[in-house]
Amino acid sequence: MKGKGASLAETTQSFLVENPIFEIRQLSVWYKAQQVLKDVTMDIPEKQVTAIIGPSGCGKSTFLRSLNRMNDLIPGMRAEGQVFFRGLNIYARSVDPVEVRRRIGMVFQVPNPFPKSIFENVAFGLRINGFNGDLKAKVQWALERAALWDEVKHCLHKSAFELSGGQQQRLCIARALAVEPEVLLMDEPCSALDPIATAKIEDLIHELKREVTIVIVTHNMQQAARISDYTAFMFLGEVLEFAPTGLLFTKPKDPKTEAYLAGRFG
Amino acid sequence: MLVNSHHSITSLELRPPFGRLLKERFIRWVFMVCAFFAVVITFATLGMFVAESLPFFAQVSLGEFLGGIRWAPLHEPPSYGVLALVADTLVITAIALGVALPLGLLSAVFLSEYASFRLRQVCKPILEVLAGVPTVVYGFFALRFVTPLLQRTFLPQLSFWNGLSAGLVMGIMIIPLVASISEEVLFAVPRRLREAAYALGATKFEVTTRVVIPAASSGIGASFILALSRAIGETMIVALAAGRTPAWPPDPTRPMLTITTTIVNIATGDHEATAFIWSVLFALGFLLFLSTLVFNVASHVIVRRFRERFP
């Protein structure tokens, strides 16, 4: 059942995505009476980095969190419209949000490791998903993919809180990667980090996109330009423009996008 | 105005108004005295217990006191073995904790994780009313309601006075203590930790049992220790409902004698109040004081460690 309402022709998306992993159709989100996401329609390409930029409070995080139904945890949240993930509407009644989140991982703004050891942090998702292979090997695999293994291989049983902020964030990425999600949602993952730690995470994103689809919210326009293949510009709950990153930054169509990129507000 | 301001620059004065420093110093002193008062009282109590129980320990060896089973200070020859009293105290404490810890923790988890905001606002004050009921009421409840109920249902052989109903009712009394402290530490677990677990595909139950409760474990442990010292020191319920005969070996279906009840007995009994009997009392009080002090300090240390973890 692919009753996708609006066609892309009516939207702000300037290009056709050949293999979309997400097809978002007329998605609106309210918190109590306040509408924070207005009628968003766009396609997100698979195994690419899609950046969401826009001024504070424009609904970037809400949009990201609606892609794995993290918004369901907020009391008073209401969503309308559809988000098709590989053709299946994740807001359909028969869909269990827990199953959605097992396949669509998330990394948060502030590194949030559990108050457990480094090993247990990465093993957590495997344990709750009933993983019965070689736990140690899988933890190592995830830490290697997050470019953290060499730094922590001798202290896996130390508390995760003893790591630096950047290491904690890479640990959170490893934790998310361990359960092999198809998509990684990143909500301003570098905003609490220094420039060197930020550069490491950006390199990592570059490596990871070969295997997973990445959707990243960022405050930092230069970061979006550096790491993303596609960029969406959001303003007051709407996606005003969605285009290949190079095009959006050099030839923005919407005057508001141009103004934002020029630093005239934000 | 301009002239004025020029004038004030040349003769700038930032001295305090008359008497302010004196007042500040005085207030500081008042607060300091108040704060020290509690500390002084604690140490004075400890010192008094040591001093007053010295005559007892001069006559009775520590081994006889702690190792002896027979408690008969008013008989001839007297016997001062406290082991049966300690055992009875611990059995009743264990029954009370067996009720209070699981029920308190479960209600804390419910209030913090599962209840809606509205329900939480309604339930918490009701729970705290339980904590405000005078203990003598609980004692009467145990004696005149719980014991007859148990006699009519499961335990017809239950004595009129017994350790079981005293322990059960004491447990009910302690539930609010465990629930309210545990609820606060559970609620204080940062939302970002819950979100991290949800984002990995954890269910609400997994988030609660594998993230929230472990993260709050030291605070929950502190509430358990406070409950323990509360149970050991509880007097009125056991004095009314547990009886005045030590049971050895400890059997909660029969009358039991706790350390606290023993103190009440001796202090209120119509025997000759010799100096020595009072020092017996102080020895018992010292034992209680030390054990609750140790538990309270332990819980304090644990709570401090908890605070360091989530600043």
Side-chain angles (χ1 to χ4, degrees):
Chain A
M1 50 159 268
K2 282 203 171 192
K4 291 166 205 171
S7 78
L8 281 174
E10 306 161 22
T11 71
T12 46
Q13 183 170 329
S14 64
F15 61 104
L16 197 69
V17 175
E18 280 179 10
N19 52 345
I21 192 164
F22 282 113
E23 294 156 276
I24 299 138
R25 294 295 176 268
Q26 291 172 303
L27 180 68
S28 294
V29 172
W30 290 262
Y31 293 138
K32 302 224 166 87
Q34 190 196 1
Q35 184 169 8
V36 281
L37 215 55
K38 289 173 193 162
D39 215 14
V40 173
T41 294
M42 65 189 271
D43 288 350
I44 291 178
E46 187 174 7
K47 291 188 183 166
Q48 303 280 336
V49 178
T50 301
I52 317 286
I53 61 170
S56 301
C58 70
K60 305 187 293 279
S61 287
T62 299
F63 173 67
L64 195 74
R65 286 160 164 265
S66 63
L67 296 182
N68 68 341
R69 292 192 60 177
M70 282 297 283
N71 278 341
D72 290 32
L73 302 173
I74 297 165
M77 190 284 303
R78 188 164 60 87
E80 265 176 26
Q82 298 100 34
V83 175
F84 294 93
F85 170 66
R86 295 201 185 286
L88 177 78
N89 179 13
I90 60 169
Y91 282 91
R93 218 174 251 183
S94 58
V95 169
D96 179 4
V98 169
E99 293 301 320
V100 172
R101 294 182 205 124
R102 285 185 181 187
R103 299 176 64 174
I104 303 169
M106 190 157 200
V107 175
F108 297 83
Q109 194 169 350
V110 178
N112 55 357
F114 299 125
K116 301 176 191 285
S117 70
I118 293 166
F119 183 89
E120 283 304 320
N121 262 280
V122 183
F124 183 89
L126 298 167
R127 288 193 200 279
I128 60 169
N129 285 304
F131 177 78
N132 47 15
D134 186 347
L135 197 64
K136 273 186 189 167
K138 194 74 183 176
V139 168
Q140 177 176 351
W141 174 83
L143 285 168
E144 277 169 351
R145 282 180 89 200
L148 189 60
W149 173 251
D150 289 332
E151 292 159 58
V152 301
K153 62 184 170 191
H154 298 300
C155 54
L156 288 174
H157 295 283
K158 242 172 42 176
S159 164
F161 289 162
E162 288 177 40
L163 298 174
S164 71
Q167 287 174 322
Q168 285 188 14
Q169 194 60 299
R170 276 179 285 146
L171 179 68
C172 292
I173 294 173
R175 180 175 67 185
L177 291 174
V179 293
E180 297 192 55
E182 292 163 62
V183 182
L184 200 55
L185 307 174
M186 305 179 109
D187 189 356
E188 301 196 30
C190 302
S191 64
L193 304 182
D194 62 70
I196 292 169
T198 300
K200 280 188 179 165
I201 304 258
E202 289 183 6
D203 288 346
L204 183 57
I205 290 170
H206 213 74
E207 284 295 309
L208 287 173
K209 75 168 186 181
R210 275 184 275 168
E211 294 152 64
V212 289
T213 305
I214 292 172
V215 185
I216 180 169
V217 163
T218 175
H219 225 82
N220 179 331
M221 283 179 274
Q222 288 74 34
Q223 183 173 60
R226 280 194 299 269
I227 62 173
S228 70
D229 303 295
Y230 298 91
T231 300
F233 171 65
M234 284 187 72
F235 186 68
L236 300 177
E238 287 176 277
V239 173
L240 288 189
E241 193 164 354
F242 181 39
T245 300
L247 208 60
L248 186 113
F249 276 86
T250 52
K251 294 194 182 81
K253 280 184 185 159
D254 194 290
K256 286 209 187 69
T257 315
E258 195 181 354
Y260 180 71
L261 292 174
R264 285 204 284 275
F265 67 91
Chain B
M1 198 64 199
L2 271 173
V3 178
N4 248 337
S5 78
H6 181 255
H7 172 78
S8 71
I9 287 170
T10 50
S11 63
L12 182 67
E13 278 186 19
L14 293 173
R15 276 187 306 185
F18 176 75
R20 182 195 274 168
L21 282 185
L22 208 68
K23 205 169 96 190
E24 290 288 325
R25 212 173 289 165
F26 175 73
I27 287 170
R28 193 181 120 90
W29 191 79
V30 168
F31 284 134
M32 209 165 69
V33 167
C34 291
F36 270 115
F37 196 62
V39 180
V40 167
I41 289 281
T42 307
F43 279 101
T45 318
L46 191 63
M48 190 191 68
F49 273 119
V50 172
E52 295 282 339
S53 59
L54 271 180
F56 175 78
F57 286 114
Q59 201 162 325
V60 182
S61 77
L62 206 61
E64 191 192 335
F65 179 59
L66 293 176
I69 291 165
R70 203 170 94 87
W71 177 259
L74 299 175
H75 285 77
E76 204 54 52
S79 165
Y80 300 102
V82 84
L83 194 59
L85 307 183
V86 170
D88 284 5
T89 303
L90 291 182
V91 167
I92 292 178
T93 300
I95 295 170
L97 295 185
V99 172
L101 302 192
L103 288 182
L105 181 58
L106 286 178
S107 40
V109 168
F110 171 74
L111 285 177
S112 158
E113 304 300 307
Y114 286 87
S116 66
F117 180 75
R118 271 249 185 94
L119 195 59
R120 191 166 173 262
Q121 295 300 93
V122 174
C123 278
K124 272 199 83 175
I126 292 176
L127 201 67
E128 257 129 52
V129 166
L130 262 187
V133 176
T135 55
V136 66
V137 175
Y138 278 112
F140 203 67
F141 175 67
L143 185 69
R144 299 300 297 162
F145 181 77
V146 176
T147 298
L149 184 74
L150 290 172
Q151 281 169 335
R152 265 183 280 127
T153 51
F154 310 103
L155 291 164
Q157 78 278 19
L158 195 66
S159 308
F160 180 72
W161 282 297
N162 62 82
L164 182 62
S165 39
L168 292 177
V169 171
M170 199 195 289
I172 295 171
M173 181 197 75
I174 297 172
I175 287 173
L177 177 85
V178 175
S180 118
I181 298 176
S182 298
E183 194 268 346
E184 263 162 49
V185 292
L186 288 170
F187 202 69
V189 171
R191 210 181 81 166
R192 57 179 193 272
L193 290 187
R194 295 167 216 257
E195 287 194 329
Y198 278 120
L200 290 164
T203 60
K204 190 171 185 90
F205 183 73
E206 284 164 341
V207 173
T208 304
T209 54
R210 292 174 184 241
V211 176
V212 181
I213 292 177
S217 58
S218 48
I220 294 170
S223 82
F224 285 6
I225 292 176
L226 278 179
L228 176 67
S229 66
R230 182 77 200 271
I232 289 177
E234 172 51 38
T235 309
M236 215 53 202
I237 296 175
V238 282
L240 281 179
R244 308 200 159 187
T245 331
W248 185 267
D251 175 359
T253 64
R254 293 180 38 223
M256 292 184 118
L257 183 66
T258 64
I259 300 173
T260 50
T261 316
T262 312
I263 295 176
V264 174
N265 280 351
I266 298 177
T268 58
D270 59 345
H271 48 75
E272 223 179 317
T274 59
F276 189 70
I277 267 299
W278 286 110
S279 89
V280 173
L281 273 193
F282 276 107
L284 287 175
F286 190 42
L287 189 66
L288 269 185
F289 186 84
L290 265 191
S291 51
T292 49
L293 185 74
V294 165
F295 290 130
N296 282 341
V297 169
S299 97
H300 195 75
V301 168
I302 291 173
V303 168
R304 268 235 321 253
R305 262 184 52 194
F306 173 78
R307 284 207 189 116
E308 280 167 9
R309 185 166 265 185
F310 299 111

